[in-house]
Amino acid sequence: QMMMPEMSVLDSFDEFDGGVYEAKKWNPDLRFVNRAGSAVIWPPGYLHETSTLENEDGKCAASITLQYLFPQPVQFIRAFLPRLSLSSEVGHCHYRWDDYATFAMPMKPSGKQHKIDAQVDTVMSAVDSNGDGSVTPNEAEVHLRQQRNAMMRATTIATDQHGLDLYFRFYSQDVVAYHDTDGDMVASKQEIFESLMQWNVVRMRVKRALQLFAVANRSALEEF
């Protein structure tokens, strides 16, 4: 396994199967044998590879990889959003990460303060049902169930009402946890403002970087 190496706009590389070899960045810092009947949990952001040891009797071996749907590593995503946005492998996940920041409401990233303030007001007006200046998982769940994109994603996973209920319960907890920085499992207006500010800055920087790539402006990218 290996932590992601240092990255800049010009350091992004293909992190999918085998891409790290072509980029000549594979330098694992830990090797171990996972014996039969055991399991490994990979933390977010770890590049890893697996190989099967040859059995003495020549028989084949099988391994299974599972991904957790909930909880998502939302506080990891929030903390490392600027870095993750440069990743060619997970950077495209922004369409899901956007929903954490915006409470699944359509918002256009902006670099203007008054527009970011308006986004915060939009969130509080739509989600803070009791008007106390904060958002709880229960308030988030009521809101998210009404969002078309959230419901479409839920129905591709859940097969019955019970499944939908579980999906939105856990999803709403993830959304609130994304904003929550003091660990009280409540998203205050200030916390929501700070996460939306970060989201806007990151998304605008990615947009600008792609514009510079499109015109092959290396000098501007080096100064980016």
Side-chain angles (χ1 to χ4, degrees):
Q1 68 178 26
M2 179 183 79
M3 283 292 292
M4 288 290 293
E6 292 186 10
M7 291 181 68
S8 70
V9 173
L10 293 173
D11 290 323
S12 184
F13 62 92
D14 177 13
E15 300 148 34
F16 195 61
D17 292 352
V20 68
Y21 303 120
E22 296 181 9
K24 302 186 185 306
K25 291 181 179 289
W26 180 239
N27 184 27
D29 54 16
L30 178 64
R31 296 176 174 86
F32 58 91
V33 176
N34 195 34
R35 300 295 180 184
S38 59
V40 175
I41 298 178
W42 298 108
Y46 270 79
L47 296 177
H48 58 276
E49 69 174 346
T50 59
S51 58
T52 302
L53 296 176
E54 183 175 348
N55 293 326
E56 295 181 0
D57 57 10
K59 293 183 178 180
C60 295
S63 62
I64 300 174
T65 299
L66 302 175
Q67 295 180 338
Y68 292 102
L69 182 59
F70 296 110
Q72 287 291 305
V74 290
Q75 293 180 330
F76 171 87
I77 294 170
R78 166 77 190 284
F80 292 96
L81 187 62
R83 178 179 171 88
L84 293 171
S85 67
L86 299 176
S87 166
S88 64
E89 174 66 11
V90 299
H92 67 276
C93 295
H94 73 81
Y95 72 94
R96 287 195 176 182
W97 300 343
D98 288 353
D99 285 350
Y100 294 133
T102 66
F103 286 82
M105 289 186 286
M107 291 185 182
K108 185 176 181 180
S110 173
K112 298 186 180 299
Q113 180 70 57
H114 72 276
K115 290 188 176 181
I116 298 174
D117 290 338
Q119 292 172 351
V120 176
D121 290 339
T122 297
V123 168
M124 299 307 295
S125 176
V127 190
D128 179 18
S129 58
N130 63 5
D132 67 349
S134 62
V135 174
T136 66
N138 287 340
E139 288 176 318
E141 180 175 351
V142 172
H143 165 77
L144 292 168
R145 285 177 178 270
Q146 300 171 2
Q147 303 310 301
R148 181 172 178 270
N149 287 342
M151 181 56 74
M152 287 180 61
R153 190 175 302 129
T155 54
T156 64
I157 297 171
T159 58
D160 56 23
Q161 187 60 49
H162 178 63
L164 279 176
D165 291 342
L166 289 176
Y167 179 93
F168 278 106
R169 181 198 306 170
F170 297 139
Y171 181 40
S172 62
Q173 292 173 359
D174 278 351
V175 171
V176 171
Y178 178 89
H179 298 270
D180 176 30
T181 56
D182 62 7
D184 63 356
M185 205 51 193
V186 174
S188 68
K189 184 176 181 178
Q190 180 63 29
E191 289 173 326
I192 292 171
F193 166 77
E194 292 171 359
S195 58
L196 276 173
M197 176 65 78
Q198 180 204 48
W199 174 77
N200 277 279
V201 170
V202 169
R203 296 285 276 111
M204 291 300 292
R205 282 181 59 82
V206 169
K207 179 180 178 180
R208 179 56 179 159
L210 291 175
Q211 290 172 339
L212 294 175
F213 270 116
V215 296
N217 191 337
R218 183 180 182 87
S219 60
L221 285 167
E222 289 175 345
E223 298 174 359
F224 187 72

